[in-house]
Amino acid sequence: MKIILLFFVFISSSLSIAEIQTGKITGYIPYEAPGKQVLIFKIQGSAPSGCNTTGRLAIDSTSLKFKATQAAVMSAFHSQSDVTVLIPQLTCNAWSNSWDVEAVCVGLIPC
């Protein structure tokens, strides 16, 4: 029994932290930092946690998906469409107080 319990503890600890948030975008900030552009945005119900002290999300221009994500965020905000945001790791590298975003999906399509 102890071996089985240890196995489940090992498996659960080795899984990467990931989060999916869904809702309407309540605002966005296009920003320029030294050497990169940053898009910071917030969706309904996004709460501060960990390094994300503002409840916001961010992606920077070092990501290959930056321009497409920027267009999706702006479009979804102005049309008030629901979005699904993929946050693969709960890190704040793009902007120090906002979770790093991997992708934003708009509309009725699985992300």
Side-chain angles (χ1 to χ4, degrees), residues 23-44:
K24 292 186 183 347
I25 295 175
T26 59
Y28 64 89
I29 306 166
Y31 194 80
E32 188 171 342
K36 65 182 179 180
Q37 295 177 353
V38 181
L39 179 67
I40 304 164
F41 62 99
K42 190 164 184 172
I43 66 171
Q44 291 173 330

Side-chain angles (χ1 to χ4, degrees), residues 1-17:
M1 184 65 170
K2 289 181 184 179
I3 293 174
I4 294 172
L5 182 60
L6 286 173
F7 175 75
F8 282 116
V9 168
F10 175 75
I11 293 295
S12 65
S13 66
S14 66
L15 296 175
S16 65
I17 299 170

Side-chain angles (χ1 to χ4, degrees), residues 6-79:
L6 286 173
F7 175 75
F8 282 116
V9 168
F10 175 75
I11 293 295
S12 65
S13 66
S14 66
L15 296 175
S16 65
I17 299 170
E19 185 164 321
I20 297 174
Q21 294 186 1
T22 303
K24 292 186 183 347
I25 295 175
T26 59
Y28 64 89
I29 306 166
Y31 194 80
E32 188 171 342
K36 65 182 179 180
Q37 295 177 353
V38 181
L39 179 67
I40 304 164
F41 62 99
K42 190 164 184 172
I43 66 171
Q44 291 173 330
S46 182
S49 176
C51 63
N52 181 359
T53 59
T54 60
R56 300 182 304 191
L57 308 162
I59 188 168
D60 67 34
S61 57
T62 63
S63 169
L64 295 176
K65 297 179 184 179
F66 177 74
K67 288 183 181 181
T69 301
Q70 184 177 37
V73 166
M74 293 171 65
S75 165
F77 174 74
H78 291 287
S79 66

